[in-house]
Amino acid sequence: MTTDRPLLIRAFVIGALATLAGAAVAELLTGVTRARLSPVLAVGESVIELTPGAVAERAIDAVGTLDKPLLVLGVVIGMIVLGGASGILMMHSPGAGVAAYAVLAVVPLAAVVHSESGSAVGSLAIVVIGAVVTIVIAVTLLGSTRYENVGRRTFLRDVGILAVGTVVVGGIGRWMGAAFTAVEDARSKLRLPVTGASTPAGVGAGVDDIAPWSTSPSDFYRIDTTLAPPLIKPDDWQLRIHGMVDHELTLTYDDLIERGLQESWITLCCVSNEVGGDLISNTIWGGVPIKTILDEVGVHPDADALLSTSDDGWNCGTPISALTDGRHAMLAVTMDGEPLPVEHGFPVRMVVPGLYGYVSATKWVVDWNVTRFDDFEAYWTQRGWSPEGPVKTQSRIDTPHEGDALSGGAVAIGGVAWAQHRGIEAVDVRIDDGEWRVAELARVPNIDTWVQWKYEWEAEPGEHTLEVRATDRDGDVQTSRTQGTVPDGATGHHTVTVSVT
């Protein structure tokens, strides 16, 4: 068979489109069956799972919350390239082309087995059907000398029909991927006994451009390892509590709600938050104190850790001491006075003030194993992070911004500081390595939230470096020593350089 360049291009295009068409059919079946993950997302989650911690950290540093969309885009581009190459092979040898497409299907099959713990027969069937569709289209359009004998117009017609069909089918699949809709419907019908208290008075420092003290759910930072959040209806949720306890217990959603809900303002932050970063947010949470549940099951005296596991298999280890020392550690069911959003852990998640999320904030939590740190390695500790992650005392300048050009005279410098479960005692600001000057702190309702601060500066012409540090209520001053986020959170002082005219 000829290997003219135009024919190779045609074979590549049809082969790539056949692969995308198979993926679109799989997407449609995912929506129809309300499976959690389509094959594309399953591959993406497996990439996340297998990525070394240091590489994942660099990716988050480089692209922030765009990491997951870019990962999905990368999976699709990989499908296009490999599908196109298989199409070229199909044009030369239908048998070899079929074999190539079958081999490609092994990747999403393995990803689904891994993501769904090998038990989702329906998800495996979806991958197989998608692969069959790809092979049928490729054999039909490339397994003959068809494109040696037809003109450009016929080829473009075939490509157009295939492309439009792929977009329509895939789009319908995403629209029907309203497995999500069923969960959202159940969520919207919940009437939970919380008030969603309004923002307390006096928490604002009175400076424009500081991050709002109360973060809306839509703006609340989100870092997790899943491309598609687990979809759990409240009626289907259970939490199994076992391990080093006097007696095991399984809680249902109704069991939890009947225990009575308490609300508390709590700031959460990610261990991946760089100095001056924005992976930190504050809101009011409602839920059941974890201590009361652990007291009920009877924790053995020599247990020092709670290994909590999410519905998607992610896990973390939390010190028992942080769950039983009286702080507002809770199984949260509400956020900002409403049932948790799906992407933030609906129907139930953990919230523990004073600890980074990687050791405490398990979303979609379904299993508690009371144990010892010596007996396990959790998801992130396997990847180089510390077993325990107390939040470090930190502060940030929100205004002015790096590189701002300012007018001389009175300038309000402002930002936030945090040391959850210790609280902030003071914030200091200095200009150009001068003396530290005391900033003014706004009020806070408890020691588990961040605090806004401001400092009035008489700015003089020139280029200046602004620097901030915080002191917590234990008397510990924020260190100036620079450290990256691995293994237990970044340290150093946040600085901003501005010019004054």
Side-chain angles (χ1 to χ4, degrees):
M1 181 177 287
T2 181
T3 56
D4 290 346
R5 184 176 179 184
L7 286 178
L8 293 178
I9 293 174
R10 291 182 177 190
F12 182 93
V13 171
I14 292 297
L17 280 175
T19 303
L20 293 178
V25 169
E27 197 75 45
L28 177 64
L29 294 174
T30 299
V32 170
T33 61
R34 298 188 172 181
R36 186 177 78 87
L37 291 174
S38 67
V40 171
L41 295 186
V43 171
E45 284 209 350
S46 293
V47 171
I48 293 174
E49 178 73 16
L50 297 173
T51 300
V55 176
E57 183 63 25
R58 286 196 292 271
I60 292 173
D61 290 346
V63 300
T65 56
L66 291 176
D67 57 341
K68 294 179 182 63
L70 290 175
L71 175 58
V72 173
L73 178 61
V75 172
V76 172
I77 290 173
M79 290 169 53
I80 291 172
V81 172
L82 295 175
S86 299
I88 292 173
L89 191 59
M90 174 74 74
M91 183 183 68
H92 287 290
S93 170
V98 169
Y101 282 118
V103 169
L104 288 182
V106 171
V107 176
L109 279 170
V112 166
V113 168
H114 180 72
S115 297
E116 304 289 355
S117 302
S119 61
V121 175
S123 295
L124 295 175
I126 288 172
V127 175
V128 172
I129 292 171
V132 169
V133 169
T134 295
I135 291 170
V136 168
I137 292 174
V139 167
T140 301
L141 296 181
L142 294 172
S144 67
T145 58
R146 174 179 175 82
Y147 288 116
E148 291 181 0
N149 303 317
V150 300
R152 181 168 176 268
R153 179 176 296 179
T154 300
F155 169 75
L156 292 177
R157 181 202 64 196
D158 290 349
V159 166
I161 292 172
L162 187 54
V164 170
T166 297
V167 171
V168 170
V169 170
I172 292 174
R174 292 307 298 161
W175 174 71
M176 293 182 67
F180 199 78
T181 302
V183 173
E184 278 293 346
D185 284 347
R187 176 179 176 271
S188 67
K189 292 174 182 176
L190 289 174
R191 297 295 180 265
L192 300 176
V194 295
T195 62
S198 58
T199 301
V203 296
V207 179
D208 292 339
D209 292 334
I210 296 180
W213 184 83
S214 175
T215 312
S216 68
S218 61
D219 293 331
F220 207 95
Y221 86 92
R222 178 190 169 198
I223 296 292
D224 49 52
T225 62
T226 183
L227 292 174
L231 302 174
I232 311 170
K233 295 179 183 178
D235 288 347
D236 297 331
W237 179 83
Q238 289 186 333
L239 174 66
R240 180 187 174 218
I241 307 168
H242 59 102
M244 300 171 68
V245 296
D246 293 338
H247 62 273
E248 295 189 6
L249 177 67
T250 298
L251 288 174
T252 67
Y253 192 79
D254 287 342
D255 292 336
L256 197 63
I257 302 304
E258 288 172 0
R259 291 165 183 263
L261 305 183
Q262 298 180 13
E263 291 182 283
S264 184
W265 290 95
I266 298 172
T267 296
L268 297 185
C269 56
C270 183
V271 72
S272 296
N273 198 36
E274 297 283 358
V275 173
D278 61 0
L279 297 180
I280 178 169
S281 304
N282 181 61
T283 193
I284 187 168
W285 304 90
V288 175
I290 290 174
K291 182 180 185 300
T292 62
I293 299 172
L294 293 179
D295 287 346
E296 181 177 336
V297 298
V299 175
H300 293 184
D302 51 348
D304 65 2
L306 177 69
L307 179 64
S308 56
T309 303
S310 168
D311 182 76
D312 65 353
W314 185 90
N315 61 16
C316 76
T318 308
I320 291 289
S321 58
L323 302 173
T324 57
D325 64 3
R327 72 183 72 189
H328 293 148
M330 67 174 75
L331 278 174
V333 296
T334 70
M335 178 182 190
D336 196 32
E338 298 290 336
L340 292 169
V342 170
E343 63 272 19
H344 286 291
F346 181 80
V348 183
R349 66 170 293 166
M350 291 173 61
V351 172
V352 183
L355 300 178
Y356 288 118
Y358 84 104
V359 295
S360 67
T362 306
K363 303 172 187 175
W364 315 289
V365 60
V366 294
D367 188 89
W368 277 359
N369 180 14
V370 178
T371 181
R372 294 188 55 80
F373 279 108
D374 292 343
D375 295 335
F376 70 90
E377 277 193 309
Y379 183 92
W380 283 114
T381 53
Q382 292 175 350
R383 290 161 173 77
W385 271 259
S386 298
E388 301 183 38
V391 171
K392 297 180 177 179
T393 301
Q394 276 288 354
S395 54
R396 186 181 78 197
I397 299 171
D398 284 355
T399 185
H401 307 98
E402 176 68 27
D404 277 357
L406 309 174
S407 298
V411 172
I413 305 173
V416 289
W418 58 93
Q420 293 95 303
H421 203 58
R422 298 185 304 281
I424 294 295
E425 181 66 27
V427 170
D428 303 311
V429 175
R430 70 175 175 182
I431 314 298
D432 301 327
D433 294 325
E435 294 183 6
W436 288 104
R437 304 291 184 179
V438 178
E440 179 183 342
L441 300 184
R443 297 172 57 188
V444 289
N446 60 55
I447 60 173
D448 292 331
T449 75
W450 60 7
V451 60
Q452 291 191 359
W453 59 266
K454 70 175 179 180
Y455 176 74
E456 298 291 345
W457 172 43
E458 282 297 320
E460 298 180 354
E463 186 171 278
H464 301 282
T465 298
L466 317 181
E467 185 177 359
V468 64
R469 72 178 184 187
T471 302
D472 64 35
R473 294 188 184 181
D474 287 344
D476 294 326
V477 181
Q478 177 182 342
T479 180
S480 61
R481 181 175 61 87
T482 300
Q483 172 186 298
T485 56
V486 181
D488 58 1
T491 63
H493 290 173
H494 188 213
T495 61
V496 169
T497 301
V498 298
S499 59
V500 179
T501 57

